[in-house]
Amino acid sequence: MIHLMIDDKPIEITEGRSLLEACRENGIDIPTLCYHPALEPYGGCRLCMVELFQPPRKSRLVAACVYPCEEGLVVKTHSEMVLQSRRLTVELLLASAYNSPDIIALADQVGVGEVRFKLPEENNCILCGLCVRACKEITNISAISVIQRGMAKKVSTPFQVASSRCISCGTCVLICPTGAFKLSDVIGVRSDVPGEPPYLRRYYRVGSEIDLRPNFVQDVALLLGRKRDTE
Amino acid sequence: MQVLSVTEINEIINQVARGEGSLIAALEEIQERYGYLPPEALILASERLGVPLSQAYAVATFYNAFSLKPKGKHCLNVCMGTACHVRGSPQVLDRLETKLGIKTGETTRDRLFTLETVNCLGACALGPIVVTDGEYSGQMTPQKTDQLLRNIIRAEADR
Amino acid sequence: MNRLQSTSDFQTWQAAMAASWDETRPCLRVCDGTGCRALGSQKVLENLRAELARTNQDTPIEVVGTGCPGFCECGPLVTVYPQRISYQKVKPEDVSAIVQKTLIGGEVIQELLYTDPQTGKHIHLEPELPFYQKQKRFVLDFNGRIDPTRIEDYVALGGYTSLVKALTKLTPEQVVAEVKTSGLRGRGGAGFQAGVKWELCRKNVQKTGIGYIICNADEGDPGAFMDRSVVEGNPHLLLEGMIIGAYAIGIEQGFVYIRAEYPLAVENLRIAIRQAEEAGLLGTNILGSGFDFNLGIRLGAGAFVCGEETALMASIEGRIGEPRPRPPYPAESGLWGKPTNINNVETWANVPMIIAMSGLEYAKIGTEKSKGTKIFSVVGKINNTGLVEVPMGITLREIIYDIGGGIPNGKSFKAAQLGGPSGGCVPAEHLDVPIDYESLNALGAIMGSGGMVVTDEDTCMVDFARYFMTFIQEESCGKCVPCRVGTKAMVATLERICAGEGLPGDVDYLLEMGEHVRNNSLCGLGQTAPNSVLSSIRYFRSEYDAHIFDKTCPAKVCKGLISYSIDPEICNGCMVCLRNCTSNAISGARREVHTINPRLCTRCGVCMNVCKFDAVVVA
């Protein structure tokens, strides 16, 4: 067992767990966006930063979802350094997701003031990577990935056309924290020309030419609609 | 125009395949051979090396070395490293963009020239540098770039 | 040659090579590194070989293409042995004079010599050049002397004897101890104690049974070419360092991750690895010691972020170059989840020397906390652009003025940017700072990997910071929010300031967002991204204020804040500027005063360059 202090509270936890897990199991609230208990931690949104004290080093911010619990750590989850960090991170999220109800709610929660930087194009995708990671780790399909680099980064299918691997399970749509994904964006289509050897299958036909006959989309959309009603 | 040969692409991939992590090396070889990454090559590499196509495509779009579009016959690379910047490489780039009528990263309509920038070639004493088809020209100025373009066009006309 | 089966085989071979090496023989050594190639060294080499073939000599005179000896400003460089007469800026046409007058006639050609700007005197010999006086060229010793594509040259001068010493006289633990004692700190920029890292990795490898070593040759800092020069000019030095490291840590497989933008370095490295394998210095049962080690090359694919160690490893694994959170550190879990030791080229290149002289002796060089030498690529507004190697503790002033020859055209020094885009600037008031890790950190700069860009009074520090910030922002992998969006926010602010649209709160925003990006980013790229901006605000706040409040650019660089005009008193109407203007902004007939239309003028500066009468004025 490992012993550490979080917000002046002594915590005991088994080995190999992260600071975030320690917090969540002890009722300490930390906001997250890119974290999901069913997936490997990513450390991308930087919303879960906590202040770590390891004298003689100066205290520093670390991402709770990926930082391992170690014997003797001293952590603060609501210090001024942490609160300021959350405010600025959410302010940066609002640069593109400025109309997203989920992000706006988060902004109210952490106390964001003025949004000082806005990008020209609105985009509710905050690149948390949950959809891509779920498609890989949960369903093992890997139909989508994050392409390009930096500000041009986005979630896409190969060649940015309808995927032929996607099985229309809808996991990506369900797991998205901002509702940036619509099922119509990622829809599975298999080649409808029988007998074509795999590498000649024309994966990269333009979207509009592909026969959109989704197998289970209707059912999943209904499922989603029902889920939203009961929330 | 390069003819795409599936056999050749497979050969390249097999030669390079040496276990985990060969994807980037395979793509580099293909890029070198064809001047870009044809979609067929990405698909073949992904299948042969057991890597999801989405990962292969992500890799192809992440790294600057890869191009998914065919390039022009002559590649002009302007070094935009600090030393070159301080010695006037933006003016050189400006000049090339104006004279060729394209922006950085683009290819002229006649597919003769592709203009790109590169972040520091490490030959900083000779800045600004323009690399044309692998050949380095140092201490470039806007006037010297005019001459460079003239030389290439003249050589093409003589062909 | 036959594969060496034992260390005594090697010693026999080494003795034979050493015996046949003779620097008192007439020989021409020509720098054939990338820099000099861009200035035409290959044609010089070609002409030399042709000219020598034409003249009949009793003993053939060798012409050797070497790696970079460092004096890049004066290339192409030809050094005539045995005297070591140093000829500078040699053109292909100068070759026949060199052969006829100097080699055969014994005469020195004055026009090709270096002229000391202080005394006006010609310097004949390479060791007497002021450029070299304060340098301690230990790692770069063989550059400029050997042919990098010949292992025989490296061995003749003592290469691989450190490896033999390690294999025969030291246990792996003792090698680690020597590196620890030496105090060698990572030369990639972080400055972590290399020996401590090796020891940690060794412990973990013993637990897992397998590990890797990697050489980080992804030198991406603009303005830095130290690593390129070592790999181009003396690749076996790197190999020897890595083989010793593999022996010490207990590794069987290593990789050199090198930028594809360094084709000559890659080529010379490939040749060197092949030669080492043929000689039995790489592969199975090295020199009969029972120790196996293989080295592979992995090329970078054009991503600066892959210089960050976890992104580098992701790239080797065939994935996109996204960094991973640390802990766990690579020494515990690295390539394919196994313990991995990654070091920079220069760090590995110091190892043979440490083993040869002992860690204790090495620790006598440098300062108390920063041991050994450091290689810098000194570029920008400096007279002697080039590659220098200096002992830690030397002052910046000595590098800029004594070695660098000061600022050209009588301009005054403004600042030196150390560490590239991740680094900070050191202004004139701190010229006497000793070059060591702690002193530089205290000033808000970093040692970095060795890129040193010098600026003068004509450099706008706001534009300079904007340049670095833009570079970093474009190279950001995009995984984490602070770096991806925060750097963009900072770039947008800097662009506004440089365009004359700065607002009163802008500098405070840059400071606040800069701190946020630094403290919250996932990897070293994001964590150091704001450095150049933060340090330029610290020392050059007045320039920022001038841009924002006075709407002027004191250095007259930022296009939105300057205007070009033609002095009617000087202009004689020659029309040269008019013809060269790409925006058709200049009007005027022959022999009449020309005028520039400010609305069409793009402030490209070409008119100023071409006017022979200095009639173009910037305000």
Side-chain angles (χ1 to χ4, degrees):
Chain A
M1 294 296 268
I2 297 192
H3 307 85
L4 54 151
M5 292 284 273
I6 305 183
D7 291 342
D8 296 322
K9 196 169 136 174
I11 307 279
E12 208 181 61
I13 191 165
T14 49
E15 279 204 41
R17 318 285 297 289
S18 69
L19 287 178
L20 181 66
E21 287 171 305
C23 287
R24 293 233 160 132
E25 280 173 20
N26 286 276
I28 298 171
D29 189 35
I30 298 192
T32 58
L33 272 173
C34 74
Y35 173 77
H36 194 285
L39 298 169
E40 286 298 310
Y42 189 56
C45 71
R46 312 313 277 177
L47 201 50
C48 68
M49 306 298 277
V50 294
E51 193 174 353
L52 178 65
F53 295 82
Q54 274 180 316
R57 276 179 88 163
K58 238 172 52 171
S59 75
R60 66 191 202 281
L61 291 169
V62 298
C65 65
V66 290
Y67 204 91
C69 287
E70 285 161 12
E71 186 67 32
L73 287 182
V74 175
V75 174
K76 294 240 188 283
T77 70
H78 284 85
S79 64
E80 184 49 41
M81 198 188 219
V82 172
L83 296 176
Q84 168 75 337
S85 154
R86 286 183 196 157
R87 277 195 290 269
L88 280 174
T89 296
V90 179
E91 186 189 335
L92 288 174
L93 286 172
L94 283 170
S96 64
Y98 40 81
N99 284 330
S100 160
D102 304 277
I103 303 295
I104 291 176
L106 190 55
D108 286 336
Q109 186 189 325
V110 303
V112 173
E114 192 199 335
V115 179
R116 294 168 287 183
F117 174 65
K118 274 223 170 82
L119 286 162
E121 260 180 54
E122 184 183 343
N123 192 348
N124 282 351
C125 172
I126 51 164
L127 290 170
C128 65
L130 281 169
C131 52
V132 169
R133 290 148 60 204
C135 189
K136 181 174 171 200
E137 294 174 39
I138 298 179
T139 63
N140 243 299
I141 296 293
S142 288
I144 50 175
S145 59
V146 183
I147 65 168
Q148 289 165 185
R149 201 167 79 194
M151 288 299 300
K153 226 170 171 65
K154 62 181 184 181
V155 176
S156 169
T157 54
F159 306 108
Q160 303 183 58
V161 294
S163 160
S164 56
R165 271 188 75 82
C166 170
I167 58 168
S168 315
C169 66
T171 307
C172 52
V173 181
L174 280 167
I175 210 168
C176 175
T178 62
F181 249 85
K182 294 189 282 299
L183 256 174
S184 55
D185 293 330
V186 180
I187 257 174
V189 159
R190 299 189 185 286
S191 167
D192 47 8
V193 180
E196 257 189 2
Y199 57 75
L200 284 179
R201 199 181 301 171
R202 307 226 306 285
Y203 292 109
Y204 44 92
R205 273 184 286 178
V206 176
S208 59
E209 292 165 21
I210 297 182
D211 178 4
L212 292 176
R213 264 200 304 249
N215 305 332
F216 307 109
V217 169
Q218 291 287 46
D219 301 341
V220 177
L222 274 174
L223 251 176
L224 274 179
R226 226 177 278 140
K227 192 169 197 318
R228 292 263 137 117
D229 288 338
T230 57
E231 258 165 24
Chain B
M1 282 299 315
Q2 291 280 17
V3 175
L4 293 179
S5 151
V6 168
T7 329
E8 190 177 42
I9 294 177
N10 277 329
E11 250 169 48
I12 295 176
I13 297 171
N14 285 332
Q15 243 172 25
V16 169
R18 41 177 122 68
E20 286 181 79
S22 329
L23 176 64
I24 292 182
L27 294 183
E28 276 168 347
E29 285 293 312
I30 296 170
Q31 171 79 34
E32 170 80 30
R33 169 74 182 83
Y34 290 106
Y36 76 114
L37 294 178
E40 291 85 347
L42 271 181
I43 294 167
L44 283 168
S46 132
E47 290 187 359
R48 237 19 186 241
L49 300 172
V51 161
L53 182 59
S54 59
Q55 181 182 328
Y57 185 71
V59 163
T61 57
F62 181 91
Y63 294 98
N64 280 353
F66 301 133
S67 171
L68 292 169
K69 290 205 275 274
K71 295 212 182 149
K73 191 160 178 200
H74 299 285
C75 260
L76 297 160
N77 260 301
V78 183
C79 177
M80 297 305 275
T82 328
C84 288
H85 176 90
V86 149
R87 287 189 184 190
S89 60
Q91 279 93 294
V92 170
L93 185 65
D94 243 6
R95 186 63 152 210
L96 281 167
E97 284 184 336
T98 313
K99 285 272 150 144
L100 295 172
I102 53 173
K103 290 256 160 268
T104 310
E106 294 176 359
T107 301
T108 53
R109 195 160 291 169
D110 57 10
R111 296 280 211 93
L112 202 54
F113 293 102
T114 298
L115 178 62
E116 283 178 333
T117 56
V118 69
N119 277 325
C120 194
L121 293 158
C124 311
L126 299 329
I129 301 222
V130 175
V131 186
T132 316
D133 304 326
E135 236 183 71
Y136 286 61
S137 309
Q139 289 157 350
M140 292 299 285
T141 59
Q143 295 92 295
K144 276 186 174 178
T145 49
D146 290 350
Q147 186 61 48
L148 183 69
L149 288 176
R150 270 199 288 271
N151 290 346
I152 300 176
I153 294 172
R154 200 170 296 144
E156 281 294 317
D158 289 343
R159 221 167 271 236
Chain C
M1 64 163 279
N2 287 326
R3 196 165 200 272
L4 303 163
Q5 305 288 357
S6 65
T7 52
S8 52
D9 267 1
F10 172 83
Q11 272 145 351
T12 312
W13 181 49
Q14 199 275 322
M17 295 296 105
S20 63
W21 181 271
D22 185 4
E23 275 180 43
T24 65
R25 263 206 308 259
C27 173
L28 290 160
R29 290 188 159 81
V30 182
C31 174
D32 199 25
T34 302
C36 280
R37 280 194 182 193
L39 285 174
S41 65
Q42 294 247 288
K43 194 80 177 88
V44 171
L45 273 163
E46 198 186 298
N47 285 8
L48 273 172
R49 290 188 169 118
E51 183 79 17
L52 282 169
R54 262 198 295 275
T55 65
N56 286 327
Q57 310 132 37
D58 304 320
T59 39
I61 297 178
E62 250 197 302
V63 177
V64 182
T66 69
C68 174
F71 204 0
C72 308
E73 181 71 35
C74 296
L77 298 165
V78 175
T79 313
V80 184
Y81 280 69
Q83 314 93 309
R84 291 179 73 182
I85 301 170
S86 177
Y87 285 144
Q88 323 240 305
K89 303 198 179 173
V90 175
K91 293 192 279 304
E93 311 80 86
D94 298 326
V95 160
S96 87
I98 293 178
V99 173
Q100 302 301 328
K101 288 205 188 136
T102 307
L103 273 180
I104 299 180
E107 210 186 291
V108 167
I109 304 170
Q110 299 293 319
E111 298 79 43
L112 292 177
L113 294 175
Y114 175 74
T115 313
D116 186 332
Q118 311 288 39
T119 63
K121 276 169 57 183
H122 288 310
I123 311 278
H124 289 209
L125 306 182
E126 191 187 32
E128 290 167 1
L129 290 166
F131 179 69
Y132 291 116
Q133 297 318 307
K134 290 206 166 175
Q135 294 191 44
K136 287 241 184 314
R137 296 178 80 86
F138 293 156
V139 174
L140 293 176
D141 186 12
F142 294 5
N143 274 43
R145 292 167 71 194
I146 64 170
D147 179 338
T149 62
R150 281 173 51 83
I151 188 175
E152 294 85 353
D153 284 11
Y154 182 67
V155 169
L157 288 178
Y160 288 112
T161 52
S162 291
L163 172 62
V164 168
K165 180 175 177 185
L167 291 176
T168 54
K169 298 207 168 60
L170 300 167
T171 63
E173 291 87 344
Q174 284 171 325
V175 175
V176 175
E178 286 298 318
V179 176
K180 277 182 82 176
T181 309
S182 75
L184 176 69
R185 291 170 73 166
R187 295 287 193 258
F192 194 80
Q193 287 282 340
V196 172
K197 218 158 81 162
W198 284 28
E199 190 176 56
L200 196 57
C201 192
R202 180 179 168 75
K203 281 206 185 83
N204 288 324
V205 172
Q206 294 192 305
K207 283 189 226 157
T208 60
I210 179 174
Y212 299 95
I213 58 170
I214 298 178
C215 170
N216 186 344
D218 193 55
E219 184 176 58
D221 279 355
F225 56 99
M226 306 71 57
D227 296 345
R228 171 176 68 71
S229 304
V230 171
V231 181
E232 271 179 12
N234 194 359
H236 284 285
L237 181 62
L238 171 63
L239 298 193
E240 188 178 1
M242 289 186 83
I243 303 170
I244 294 173
Y247 171 71
I249 302 172
I251 304 289
E252 286 177 14
Q253 177 69 51
F255 296 100
V256 179
Y257 186 87
I258 182 166
R259 295 179 72 198
E261 291 93 332
Y262 284 172
L264 182 58
V266 172
E267 178 60 21
N268 288 359
L269 184 63
R270 282 208 169 108
I271 295 173
I273 290 180
R274 194 177 27 85
Q275 291 171 341
E277 284 169 347
E278 279 166 5
L281 293 159
L282 272 176
T284 44
N285 195 15
I286 293 175
L287 296 181
S289 64
F291 151 61
D292 304 337
F293 177 60
N294 284 298
L295 195 56
I297 298 178
R298 291 291 185 274
L299 294 183
F304 174 78
V305 66
C306 287
E308 195 278 341
E309 60 183 9
T310 61
L312 192 158
M313 292 189 293
S315 186
I316 295 182
E317 291 172 2
R319 300 189 283 111
I320 57 175
E322 268 184 0
R324 280 176 284 205
R326 300 176 302 173
Y329 288 89
E332 192 190 318
S333 168
L335 200 55
W336 295 302
K338 301 286 184 274
T340 307
N341 184 73
I342 307 180
N343 277 125
N344 170 264
V345 170
E346 199 182 337
T347 314
W348 289 116
N350 268 277
V351 171
M353 178 165 80
I354 291 173
I355 299 302
M357 59 169 33
S358 88
L360 216 54
E361 283 303 304
Y362 183 89
K364 293 186 180 157
I365 311 165
T367 69
E368 194 205 320
K369 292 208 180 137
S370 305
K371 303 293 182 195
T373 60
K374 180 78 192 79
I375 303 176
F376 287 98
S377 57
V378 185
V379 298
K381 303 292 190 73
I382 190 117
N383 273 318
N384 297 339
T385 334
L387 202 66
V388 312
E389 187 177 350
V390 292
M392 295 279 196
I394 194 174
T395 64
L396 182 61
R397 187 185 296 278
E398 288 172 279
I399 298 181
I400 303 284
Y401 291 99
D402 299 334
I403 299 176
I407 316 297
N409 302 323
K411 301 281 182 176
S412 58
F413 171 84
K414 194 171 214 178
Q417 176 87 5
L418 270 72
S422 319
C425 56
V426 181
E429 76 223 46
H430 291 296
L431 267 170
D432 291 305
V433 65
I435 299 291
D436 68 64
Y437 291 93
E438 278 69 30
S439 302
L440 290 171
N441 287 351
L443 290 181
I446 62 172
M447 177 77 71
S449 59
M452 186 184 288
V453 184
V454 183
T455 63
D456 67 9
E457 62 200 65
D458 291 337
T459 313
C460 171
M461 294 312 282
V462 185
D463 174 65
F464 197 57
R466 182 193 59 80
Y467 165 81
F468 280 127
M469 205 66 218
T470 308
F471 173 86
I472 279 276
Q473 188 269 320
E474 285 174 355
E475 292 292 335
S476 166
C477 79
K479 176 172 175 178
C480 76
V481 176
C483 177
R484 183 179 76 239
V485 191
T487 56
K488 184 71 182 174
M490 291 175 75
V491 168
T493 308
L494 286 163
E495 281 174 351
R496 271 193 302 101
I497 295 175
C498 291
E501 293 159 19
L503 298 165
D506 280 347
V507 174
D508 289 329
Y509 179 72
L510 285 172
L511 290 171
E512 192 186 345
M513 189 51 69
E515 282 302 312
H516 180 72
V517 173
R518 177 197 277 179
N519 295 330
N520 288 271
S521 293
L522 188 148
C523 81
L525 186 149
Q527 287 154 9
T528 56
N531 282 359
S532 51
V533 177
L534 295 176
S535 109
S536 64
I537 292 177
R538 175 171 170 175
Y539 295 113
F540 296 99
R541 181 63 182 259
S542 58
E543 283 195 43
Y544 280 86
D545 289 340
H547 282 68
I548 295 171
F549 297 106
D550 305 332
K551 301 290 187 232
T552 60
C553 173
K556 305 211 208 312
V557 168
C558 294
K559 298 196 179 157
L561 297 173
I562 54 173
S563 61
Y564 279 72
S565 60
I566 297 176
D567 188 339
E569 311 270 298
I570 306 177
C571 175
N572 63 9
C574 71
M575 297 187 76
V576 170
C577 59
L578 198 151
R579 281 198 289 267
N580 276 282
C581 175
T582 46
S583 325
N584 290 323
I586 306 181
S587 54
R590 187 168 286 287
R591 288 195 231 284
E592 280 176 20
V593 166
H594 298 335
T595 48
I596 299 176
N597 181 343
R599 282 211 310 275
L600 293 176
C601 172
T602 60
R603 271 87 75 206
C604 70
V606 172
C607 55
M608 199 169 195
N609 286 350
V610 300
C611 177
K612 294 195 184 25
F613 307 99
D614 288 332
V616 180
V617 168
V618 192

